[in-house]
Amino acid sequence: MNTEKVTARRLTAEEVSELGLQDSIFVSAEMDGLPLDCYAPAFLTEPGKNFEGGSFTTRTVFGEESHVLPDNAEERGIWVADKAGEEIEVLQSAGVLLNLALFVPNGTKESLEALYSSARDAFGVGVVQRWSEEVVEVPDVKVDLFEEPARGRKNTNGQNRDRRALDIYPTRVRFLEPSDGWKFVVEPHKEVVDETPTI
């Protein structure tokens, strides 16, 4: 996460109502479930002159939309760059957190170490981290992973059941949650054969 110091001042609701869609502003960089103690570059989603009470809607350059009441002292408000203002911390760029489960055929400790080192070489030593490491032996076979209603109908064959295909690798089920009222069904993989008559 890269931030920089910017000199800015907080706007009142009246000042914000004079802004257009092209005017650069700063709003709280908080994202869903991720409280960030800084600001993000943003724009109004509609001209300030359309303000008729309620809150102003802003969108940050990171795609986060929020509703802001500039005069509310409990909120961080809307700021604009101004050399006569005060210094605030502005988020310039943010990375993406990837939570990966990797399948390594014929995996050994050496191959995992090589994979880890090459990832660190590619993205940087301080970026790639192993938070937890679990080695699970996986049969090198494909299965069909389905989801079907938890209360299956009696006296029906597999073709008439409501089901949806999810995946063909057995490890995926360990990282998925079934939908409400559905359960997982794992069966040996069957290649789909198109038996449509051709002329």
Side-chain angles (χ1 to χ4, degrees):
M1 194 169 90
N2 299 319
T3 61
E4 72 174 6
K5 304 279 187 189
V6 172
T7 308
R9 70 180 171 83
R10 184 172 177 152
L11 300 178
T12 63
E14 190 178 327
E15 290 173 312
V16 177
S17 65
E18 295 170 7
L19 297 177
L21 298 180
Q22 307 305 316
D23 293 307
S24 296
I25 55 176
F26 302 109
V27 295
S28 173
E30 239 175 57
M31 300 181 187
D32 288 341
L34 186 62
L36 296 174
D37 191 22
C38 57
Y39 295 84
F43 301 91
L44 293 176
T45 58
E46 60 176 298
K49 64 184 179 185
N50 295 347
F51 178 64
E52 296 175 353
S55 58
F56 290 93
T57 306
T58 66
R59 182 178 286 113
T60 69
V61 295
F62 304 108
E64 290 291 318
E65 204 167 273
S66 62
H67 300 277
V68 186
L69 293 167
D71 293 334
N72 185 346
E74 293 180 10
E75 289 187 4
R76 292 202 189 162
I78 296 177
W79 296 67
V80 67
D82 187 340
K83 291 181 180 177
E86 58 185 274
E87 212 172 61
I88 61 172
E89 193 94 15
V90 175
L91 180 64
Q92 294 302 312
S93 63
V96 176
L97 176 64
L98 294 178
N99 187 8
L100 297 178
L102 298 174
F103 170 61
V104 182
N106 303 316
T108 61
K109 190 173 180 183
E110 292 74 26
S111 61
L112 290 173
E113 285 298 331
L115 190 64
Y116 181 53
S117 338
S118 58
R120 285 168 70 99
D121 291 343
F123 298 104
V125 174
V127 174
V128 179
Q129 300 172 26
R130 287 186 287 200
W131 288 359
S132 65
E133 188 174 317
E134 184 182 3
V135 178
V136 179
E137 286 192 20
V138 179
D140 193 8
V141 294
K142 290 180 180 177
V143 296
D144 289 326
L145 174 60
F146 296 99
E147 203 176 31
E148 68 178 32
R151 292 182 180 175
R153 300 186 198 125
K154 290 182 181 177
N155 302 324
T156 57
N157 61 29
Q159 292 180 344
N160 294 332
R161 282 183 296 192
D162 294 330
R163 53 168 46 188
R164 42 196 181 214
L166 297 178
D167 214 319
I168 57 171
Y169 291 103
T171 47
R172 287 274 294 164
V173 73
R174 301 179 65 247
F175 304 99
L176 293 172
E177 289 289 331
S179 307
D180 286 342
W182 293 68
K183 65 178 180 179
F184 288 132
V185 179
V186 180
E187 295 176 356
H189 179 62
K190 292 178 186 169
E191 292 294 338
V192 177
V193 178
D194 186 356
E195 294 179 345
T196 309
T198 56
I199 299 174

